[in-house]
């Protein structure tokens, strides 16, 4: 059995070094390189709680390792999701803002203006690397549709957290009600890895007496 | 035009006629149904065309044991290791490679895939009851960011579906290993409670990584494991009077069905951001696009498995230019369980992960005849089939090319197979209800999504039985529900009692429901010796084989409710039940249950529940904790 805590810290430390030099956004002179999900994840403009206007795919997703959830300040259920994510923050350590980013997209853009999101973010003392996002209602709807809604029209944005490494193209989903450790553990799975040298090492099962 | 457009126009039922029903039209792959994306998304371009039936079916090799493992296994890591010390050891490698789905461009360059020992499906294990084995699975996959298959997760855990396996060898979703590591899977190879009626036949192994079962299996991490014993001995010339003598050797053919979608360069496409389920537009059998298989004019045993991820099948055996003639199958197992008697059916319903062993007797055809294995069940989204049956021509998956018999066919389909264990409600310690639904966009069990399986959703006492009600709360989706470790005995289907000697079938005139139940005859009175099976000339084949009383998948179509009886014995530890539309599983439609020591004395059993040939009960297992 792998030990999630140790693996996570190790993986995040390595990733912080590996990815900190990754190109930040499509604001550079050269045309953006299409990522694996460039055609799928909408490149709509969104506003951050820091009052920046950014392109969702080019600036926030491409080449990055991310956690994406949804919120609505007026929805208590989503507040509990944010509280969980607040507890994920310390588990990410130095990686947050360097190799890992958290995005919380509002489902209620009329109420959740950048100013309202800023106040909300301050309340929870969120760190750099975590952005609250609002924007045009239709654009946010499209984002949710691609990431959280499927053909039945049902919206899982309050119950699912997406995690992905778009430098590689690997994506997954974890229920928002999971423990902070489970959510952070997902990030350890999608961190870039190195091939081990030498003969294969024993991964399991562990001796029965030690299993707990 | 794709079939989806016809549906919008309300013309689906006649779609095949509008599309043209000639054999040529059938071979145009663009007309197979393909992936339906969420509303508002343009459809993905269809997979590049590939001429059907130009390549032979791939038959995975039989896995050979090694003399010993280095380093040796750790006996303290396995329940009951000393009692069931392995007689054979296997070493297998999970790898990335280019797999040739088809010889034409762009497929000829190979599609990046994952599999075992450089192939997908992986090798087939031939295992005998009473001969415990240990399989060391070495993860040699490229770590994240180093490989070519981008959608899958190179952390792996192999589940033997539906082996009677100790928890630590069961491929529990969180028992994963990363590249460069191995995990030892110990298979004790005895049936539950050492009851010979609990034996299994056709099993498959597949990856079960948390959140990534669908993508890892789709990438190729799957294969077969077959159990043999004195009866199902794997030898059609076996002189032992107890032997079934089912078709064996090269006449015993595993077939795993996957629908796959490819990009314009022939690489496999998988949308991990889809929660409904994924459909491919190319039918593959053993990971070859629409292959051909040369068959002699004799009996064959086909072990047919729906490998998923989300498509349901209703398979037919058809011939004729317009596939206008249908030919029945003789079915001997459902989900790896022998039925008490063979049944004859015109079609076979397979939800994801379901299996049948079907006998086809090609002596009814002439050399030179072409016969087609088809799917005719319409499915337009990953959420489940519509239930409509496509009229001629249907979708071809494989072509059988009939040739003359090259030797004598000594095989037999016995008229009696294996007794089904009896339901004994006296043994029941607990009743539970599990509802499968969709809440807030997540697939849920009893209203909750799985949250990492950190605590058990149910604790089941070792050496007890329970009755579970499995209910689909949804009107628009289907869920093939699978629970590990032990088989289901169906007690009721939508309120109707299900008897051990019955087969579930369906009114062919009704699309979604209309289940019917047909009794399988008892053997003629006074006969003691096993005879070769003959379906009465005056008896019609069943329209569809939907399963017998014993299964490891309960297919929940919309609003279905199925009551199942199960026994737990021999091991302790943690296991899962989940939807085997593996996209639903990966979006949290999974619960954890644990086998725990008894809290109260076992309930008395029923006389009828004891097998005639049953050996004394096994000694109690050592506790894992």
């Amino acid at each position: 059995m792998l030990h999630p805590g140790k693996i996570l810290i190790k993986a995040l430390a390595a990733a912080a070094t590996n990815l900190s030099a990754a190109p930040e956004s499509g604001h550079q002179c050269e045309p953006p390189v299409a990522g694996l999900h460039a055609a799928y994840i909408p490149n709509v403009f969104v506003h951050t709680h820091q009052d920046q206007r950014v392109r969702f795919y080019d600036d926030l997703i491409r080449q990055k390792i991310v956690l994406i959830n949804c919120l609505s300040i007026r929805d208590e259920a989503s507040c509990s999701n944010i509280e969980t994510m607040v507890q994920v923050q310390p588990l990410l350590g130095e990686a947050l803002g360097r190799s890992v980013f958290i995005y919380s997209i509002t489902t209620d853009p009329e109420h959740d203006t950048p100013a309202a999101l800023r106040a909300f973010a301050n309340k929870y003392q969120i760190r750099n690397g975590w952005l609250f996002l609002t924007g045009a209602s239709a654009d946010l709807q499209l984002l949710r549709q691609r990431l959280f809604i499927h053909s039945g029209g049902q919206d899982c944005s309050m119950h699912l957290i997406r995690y992905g490494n778009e430098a590689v193209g690997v994506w997954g989903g974890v229920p928002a009600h999971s423990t902070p450790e489970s959510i952070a553990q997902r990030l350890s799975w999608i961190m870039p890895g190195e091939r081990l040298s030498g003969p294969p090492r024993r991964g399991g099962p562990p001796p029965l007496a030690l299993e707990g | 035009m794709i079939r989806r457009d016809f549906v919008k126009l309300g013309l689906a039922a006649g779609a095949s006629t509008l599309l043209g029903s000639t054999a040529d039209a059938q071979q145009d792959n663009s007309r197979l149904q393909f992936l339906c994306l969420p509303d508002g998304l343009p459809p993905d371009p269809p997979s590049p065309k590939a001429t059907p039936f130009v390549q032979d079916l791939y038959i995975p090799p039989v896995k050979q044991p090694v003399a010993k493992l280095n380093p040796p296994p750790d006996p303290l890591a396995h329940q009951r290791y000393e009692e069931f010390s392995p007689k054979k050891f296997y070493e297998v490698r999970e790898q990335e490679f280019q797999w040739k789905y088809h010889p034409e461009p762009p497929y000829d360059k190979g599609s990046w895939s994952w599999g075992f020992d450089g192939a997908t499906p992986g090798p087939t294990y031939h295992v005998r009851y009473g001969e415990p084995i240990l399989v060391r699975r070495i993860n040699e996959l490229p770590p994240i960011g180093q490989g070519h298959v981008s959608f899958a997760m190179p952390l792996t855990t192999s589940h033997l579906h539906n082996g009677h396996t100790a928890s630590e060898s069961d491929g529990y979703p969180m028992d994963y290993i990363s590249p460069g590591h191995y995990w030892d899977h110990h298979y004790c190879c005895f049936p539950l409670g050492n009851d010979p009626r609990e034996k299994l036949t056709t099993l498959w192994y597949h990856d079960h990584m948390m959140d990534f079962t669908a993508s890892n299996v789709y990438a190729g991490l799957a294969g077969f494991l077959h159990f043999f014993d004195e009866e199902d001995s794997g030898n059609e010339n076996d002189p032992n009077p107890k032997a079934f003598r089912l078709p064996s050797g090269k006449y015993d053919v595993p077939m795993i069905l996957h629908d796959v979608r490819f990009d314009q360069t022939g690489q496999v496409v998988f949308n991990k951001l889809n929660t409904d389920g994924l459909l491919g537009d190319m039918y593959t059998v053993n990971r070859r696009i629409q292959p051909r298989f040369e068959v002699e004019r004799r009996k064959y045993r086909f072990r047919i498995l729906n490998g998923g991820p989300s498509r349901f099948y209703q398979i037919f055996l058809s011939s004729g230019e317009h596939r206008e003639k249908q030919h029945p199958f003789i079915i001997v197992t459902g989900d790896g369980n022998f039925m008490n008697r063979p049944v004859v059916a015109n079609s076979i319903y397979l939800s994801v992960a379901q299996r049948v062993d079907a006998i086809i007797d090609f002596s009814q055809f002439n050399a030179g005849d072409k016969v087609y294995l088809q799917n005719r069940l319409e499915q337009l989204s990953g959420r489940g089939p519509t239930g409509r049956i496509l009229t001629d021509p249907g979708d071809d998956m494989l072509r059988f090319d009939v040739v003359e018999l090259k030797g004598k066919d000594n095989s037999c389909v016995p008229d009696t197979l294996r007794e089904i264990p009896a339901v004994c409600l006296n043994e029941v310690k607990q009743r539970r209800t599990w509802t499968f639904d969709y809440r807030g966009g997540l697939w849920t069990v009893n209203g909750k999504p799985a949250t990492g399986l950190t605590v058990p959703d149910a604790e089941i006492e070792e050496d007890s039985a329970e009755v579970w009600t499995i209910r689909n709360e949804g009107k628009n989706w289907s869920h093939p529900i699978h629970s590990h470790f032990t088989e289901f005995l169906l007690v009721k289907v939508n309120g109707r009692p299900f008897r051990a000697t019955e087969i579930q079938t369906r009114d062919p005139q009704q699309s979604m429901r209309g289940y019917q139940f047909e009794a399988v005859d008892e053997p003629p009175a006074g006969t003691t010796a096993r005879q070769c099976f003959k379906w009465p000339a005056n008896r019609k084949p069943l329209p569809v084989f939907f399963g017998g009383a014993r299964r490891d998948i309960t297919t929940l179509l919309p609003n279905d409710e199925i009551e199942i009886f199960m026994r737990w014995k021999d091991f302790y530890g943690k296991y899962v039940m989940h939807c085997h539309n593996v996209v639903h599983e990966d979006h949290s439609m999974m619960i954890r249950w644990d086998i725990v020591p008894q809290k109260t004395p076992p309930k008395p059993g029923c006389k009828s529940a004891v097998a005639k040939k049953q050996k004394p009960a096994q000694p109690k297992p050592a506790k894992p904790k």
Side-chain angles (χ1 to χ4, degrees), chain A residues 146 151 156 163 171 175 186 203 208, chain B residues 41 180 182 211 272 276 440 450 624:
Chain A
R146 298 291 166 89
S151 55
C156 62
Y163 58 97
W171 285 84
R186 269 35 181 211
L208 293 173
Chain B
L41 261 186
Y182 66 83
D211 298 354
K272 195 69 182 74
D276 283 357

Side-chain angles (χ1 to χ4, degrees), chain A residues 2 6 11 13-14 17 33 43 49-50 54 61 126 136 138 145 153 193-194 206 208:
Chain A
L2 296 179
K6 284 182 198 163
T17 328
V33 182
N43 199 24
H49 72 282
Q50 296 163 344
V54 293
I61 301 295
I126 70 160
Q145 192 167 36
E194 291 297 322
L208 293 173

Side-chain angles (χ1 to χ4, degrees), chain B residues 89-124:
Chain B
F89 298 91
Y90 296 89
E91 194 171 80
V92 72
R93 290 158 199 282
E94 298 171 325
Q95 294 166 330
E96 183 175 82
F97 46 84
Q98 283 175 295
W99 182 253
K100 206 182 276 188
Y101 277 87
H102 198 273
E104 294 171 356
Y107 302 105
D108 58 332
K109 293 179 192 69
S111 311
W112 285 105
S113 300
W114 289 358
F116 296 88
D117 291 350
T120 178
T124 303

Side-chain angles (χ1 to χ4, degrees), chain B residues 343 496 499 501-504 516-522 535 539 542:
Chain B
V343 292
R496 183 203 181 274
R499 295 176 192 90
T501 52
E502 283 182 327
I503 301 296
Q504 187 177 357
Q516 294 178 336
F517 303 88
E518 193 153 326
V520 182
D521 300 338
E522 291 300 320
W535 189 249
R539 183 163 184 187
L542 273 58

Side-chain angles (χ1 to χ4, degrees), chain B residues 49-162:
Chain B
K49 288 183 184 179
T51 312
F53 323 128
V54 296
Q55 60 179 340
D56 290 327
L57 176 70
Y58 172 71
I59 309 286
V62 174
K63 182 69 181 172
Q64 299 303 316
V66 293
K68 61 174 186 175
L69 295 171
N70 183 27
D74 177 3
L76 298 177
H78 302 277
Q79 294 179 60
R80 313 188 76 165
Y81 190 86
E82 299 299 341
E83 266 175 275
F84 298 97
S85 58
K87 300 287 183 284
K88 285 181 181 166
F89 298 91
Y90 296 89
E91 194 171 80
V92 72
R93 290 158 199 282
E94 298 171 325
Q95 294 166 330
E96 183 175 82
F97 46 84
Q98 283 175 295
W99 182 253
K100 206 182 276 188
Y101 277 87
H102 198 273
E104 294 171 356
Y107 302 105
D108 58 332
K109 293 179 192 69
S111 311
W112 285 105
S113 300
W114 289 358
F116 296 88
D117 291 350
T120 178
T124 303
Y125 295 81
H126 282 188
V127 182
R128 289 189 74 86
Y129 272 106
E131 212 171 79
I133 65 167
L134 188 136
V135 181
R136 174 164 294 175
R137 292 191 172 93
I138 304 168
N139 182 339
E140 291 186 355
L141 295 169
I144 284 280
Q146 309 245 334
H148 295 85
V149 173
S150 64
F151 55 79
M153 174 54 61
L155 305 174
T156 57
T157 171
S158 272
H159 170 55
L160 175 59
H161 178 133
N162 195 41

